Amino acid sequence: MELLEQILFGLMIGGIYGVIGVGLTMIFGVMRLSNFAHGEFYMLGAYFTYTFVTLIGGDPFILAPLAAIAVGAVGIAINRLLFKSLYEELKEVKGAAAFYFQDLKFIMLTIGLSILFVDLALVLWGPIPISIPSPLTKHIVKLPGGLSFSLARLIAFVVAIATLVGLYAFLKFTKTGRAIRATAQNPSAAMLVGVNIYKIYDITMFLSTGLAALAGGILGPIYNVYPTMGLDVVAKAFVVVITGGMGNVIGSILAGFLIGLAESLGGLFLGTEYKQVVAFVIMIIVLWVRPEGILGGGRK
Amino acid sequence: MALSKNVLVIVVVALIVIAAAAFYLTQTGPAAGGTVKVGLIAPLTGGLAEHGLDMKQAAILAVDEINKQGGILGKKVELVIEDTECNPTKATAAVQRLLTQENVYAVFGEYCSTVTLAVQPSIMEAKRLLFVPVSVATKITEQGYKYTFRTCANQRMQTTQNADWVVEHLKPKTAAMLGVNDDYGREGLKIWGDRAKSKGVKIVAEEYFDKGSTDFTSQLSKIKAANPDVIFVVANIRDAANILRQAHEIGLYKQFVMLGGVTSDEFLQLADDDALGLVHVSYFEPTSKRPAAAEFVKKFRERWGRSPAMYAAGVWDAFLAFKLGVEKAGTWDVDKVADAIRSLKFEGAQGTIYFDEKGQAQTKVLLVQVQKVGGELKRVILYPPSDKQGEYIPPEKLYGG
């Protein structure tokens, strides 16, 4: 029974890792930038949800998608104001030099954004953790054999799965999805066949930051909300992305579940003090055996 | 040439005179004037500012009270306040300023143990008194400095008294422990576990979580499977609230016990009804009926219009020890005053206070339980008998079978 419980909770957390990781891997795959501020969009999603709950009233699980759209708009704004000029400046630079030059600038920029957002949250919402009340967190689902979890956790898991399936269908079957995949494969070629890559970047930023914010919004009521909550998940998100294969959406989803499950079982069999270590050991093993990640290697 | 030589001589002479004057001033200390300066170091800005505020308000109140009663040995007390932001580098600079420019006789502070440990050596070297009202790291008084006095219970004392109370009153056969995976959590679990084991309690699970974790279901699931009678937890308010909520989520309704760090109204707001039934340590409760405590709370409320938190009580008691110590010594000679403080025994806000050889106050901590009083979550004092406000309610009664 203990094993079953651990597997259950491991998979539920894995779904959330998947949602956060997928956003990060999309930005990496399509825009070729490592977004170190990704965790802060997760944090903003939680605080926006809290603010909507206090302003409008209603259940956080209904308002979380609204917060995700709002944070997605912030993502687009950042893309237009900060990233676009960098991309335009770099358009003329060719080859490997362009990649390194570009990546370094973006790394510094996104680290700066991360610090800015954390401080902004400190000023706007204060340092004391906040809980977002929802009747769903108090409603406990009881299964036979003593297994139980809150309805909120179940909803979070269902939303995570639905979002991941929806995203996959969007990328696979829609015209915009195809354009996004084309841009990920080769931006210059995509431009030649008439894809407006700056618009694709806008859409990618919206999806990526919105997904992170959605995760924050649905986890806010389950855990608590505090300014540095994004910093606590971003390292795990990078582990998921690297393990799954950088830029690979399906890989990130699989890696999310793999790491969620491995942490739970690692905690059970090795001792909970090694829980955090397990995720990184898996990443190192994957990088050793398959440096491109579980599903890495070009496919998007 | 001759002129510049003269100038040089004058400059050198002037410097020597200034240095000698400065030396004289720093050596003679408070005897030079009609006032005696003392310093307070506390985090007044940054994430811990709300606790710093309690320390500051208690210090201002204490100094005003002392001066209203005619000061100490005929001297008025002047308070100099420095902000540290809980940053050892900032605090070191602030303490240097207090020692050299303000020439304080005693320093009161700090909140963070790391800061207290960082500034302690320079204060001891300068032969000034250091009163520690809040920091709990056991090491601060274990080093045996002559001029250091702590007016609150240290980590070892509160953890041991917690374990003793639990063993005596809850009579558990088995216990589980859960703590943050750093020196604070590991020290806490070791002290509590050793104490409980020595009294015949079997430790059936010992689990840790990393800083920044938000999900504790792995740890709690293992604890649930081990089926202990009580669960001892070392965590900050954020983690503690999540731990209690997730424990109830997976159907773990055993008795939780925690340390003094969760004594705050923010914690009760965050944990909400999941805090119900939790037993934890507190150094001081403003609802206490003991006369010395009630008097302090009344004065604090009159002056600041709010209730003092436990950190304020530690500062208040530190100023009491300072005043009574100097008066008992009858002199400002720092060695004689330090000896006098060691022989004091007085009623403070936190209870009867006296110090051991190492300057650690021998206080009894309070054990409180979170209960619903008139529909609101309140900390009800269970122990000691002098402060007792209510009876312990076991979790079976609160949550049903």
Side-chain angles (χ1 to χ4, degrees), chain A residues 2 5-6 9 13 128-129 131 140 146 148-150 153 221-224 226 232 267-268 272-273 275-276, chain B residues 50 181 207-208 210 212 214-215 217-219 221-222 224-225 238 242 245-246 249-251 266 270 272:
Chain A
E2 196 188 350
E5 193 168 61
Q6 295 283 7
F9 281 108
I13 293 162
I128 299 164
S131 72
I140 308 292
S148 66
F149 44 82
S150 68
R153 204 182 276 268
I222 299 180
Y223 308 124
N224 295 310
Y226 51 99
D232 291 339
L268 179 62
T272 42
E273 60 261 58
K275 216 181 139 189
Q276 208 92 297
Chain B
E50 46 165 324
N181 199 6
E207 306 296 329
Y208 294 94
D210 287 296
T214 46
D215 202 283
T217 45
S218 299
Q219 289 87 344
S221 172
K222 285 180 87 171
K224 191 174 87 168
R238 196 173 73 212
N242 270 332
R245 188 186 302 166
Q246 290 167 23
E249 188 181 343
I250 66 165
E266 284 81 25
L270 207 55
D272 202 20

Side-chain angles (χ1 to χ4, degrees), chain A:
Chain A
M1 195 46 66
E2 196 188 350
L3 184 67
L4 199 64
E5 193 168 61
Q6 295 283 7
I7 291 172
L8 194 76
F9 281 108
L11 286 176
M12 284 184 174
I13 293 162
I16 302 297
Y17 285 168
V19 174
I20 301 171
V22 145
L24 190 60
T25 215
M26 269 185 74
I27 287 208
F28 187 83
V30 179
M31 300 171 75
R32 292 184 168 72
L33 75 90
S34 310
N35 182 13
F36 282 90
H38 194 65
E40 275 52 59
F41 294 104
Y42 165 81
M43 177 270 289
L44 282 180
Y47 273 113
F48 275 32
T49 305
Y50 166 74
T51 307
F52 287 157
V53 167
T54 45
L55 286 183
I56 311 169
D59 198 87
F61 286 91
I62 295 162
L63 293 167
L66 208 64
I69 292 169
V71 173
V74 174
I76 293 180
I78 286 169
N79 185 41
R80 296 228 174 129
L81 290 173
L82 300 172
F83 294 167
K84 197 176 173 187
S85 55
L86 270 183
Y87 280 116
E88 275 171 352
E89 183 199 337
L90 295 163
K91 208 154 56 176
E92 304 310 316
V93 193
K94 295 268 190 297
F99 184 80
Y100 290 118
F101 177 48
Q102 172 181 328
D103 210 42
L104 195 64
K105 271 200 172 176
F106 278 120
I107 287 171
M108 298 318 286
L109 180 60
T110 55
I111 289 176
L113 277 177
S114 160
I115 297 168
L116 178 75
F117 281 135
V118 171
D119 284 351
L120 208 63
L122 267 172
V123 172
L124 288 178
W125 292 288
I128 299 164
I130 294 168
S131 72
I132 310 178
S134 164
L136 299 175
T137 54
K138 304 257 179 228
H139 190 100
I140 308 292
V141 179
K142 286 200 171 80
L143 297 182
L147 277 184
S148 66
F149 44 82
S150 68
L151 193 56
R153 204 182 276 268
L154 187 66
I155 289 173
F157 183 67
V158 172
V159 170
I161 297 293
T163 310
L164 291 175
V165 171
L167 180 71
Y168 181 73
F170 173 75
L171 291 176
K172 191 93 186 169
F173 302 118
T174 65
K175 204 176 160 202
T176 317
R178 258 203 308 280
I180 291 176
R181 284 186 290 140
T183 312
Q185 276 169 13
N186 191 333
S188 317
M191 253 194 296
L192 278 178
V193 297
V195 173
N196 179 355
I197 65 161
Y198 291 120
K199 206 177 145 200
I200 294 299
Y201 286 174
D202 271 353
I203 296 169
T204 307
M205 271 302 273
F206 178 81
L207 286 175
S208 164
T209 54
L211 282 174
L214 184 69
I218 56 179
L219 289 190
I222 299 180
Y223 308 124
N224 295 310
V225 182
Y226 51 99
T228 53
M229 63 189 279
L231 301 173
D232 291 339
V233 301
V234 78
K236 201 61 68 59
F238 270 98
V239 170
V240 167
V241 167
I242 292 167
T243 308
M246 295 182 77
N248 191 300
V249 169
I250 301 289
S252 274
I253 298 171
L254 288 180
F257 283 113
L258 175 70
I259 285 171
L261 200 57
E263 278 189 347
S264 264
L265 296 179
L268 179 62
F269 293 118
L270 299 174
T272 42
E273 60 261 58
Y274 300 110
K275 216 181 139 189
Q276 208 92 297
V277 178
V278 171
F280 289 94
V281 168
I282 288 185
M283 183 182 85
I284 291 166
I285 292 173
V286 167
L287 283 181
W288 184 23
V289 186
R290 244 186 101 76
E292 65 274 36
I294 300 176
L295 290 182
R299 203 172 73 86
K300 176 84 202 26

Side-chain angles (χ1 to χ4, degrees), chain B residues 140-156:
Chain B
I140 294 168
T141 40
E142 280 303 296
Q143 300 171 105
Y145 281 120
K146 188 176 179 191
Y147 309 114
T148 298
F149 297 93
R150 170 155 47 196
T151 52
C152 64
N154 63 32
Q155 163 101 348
R156 182 178 297 152

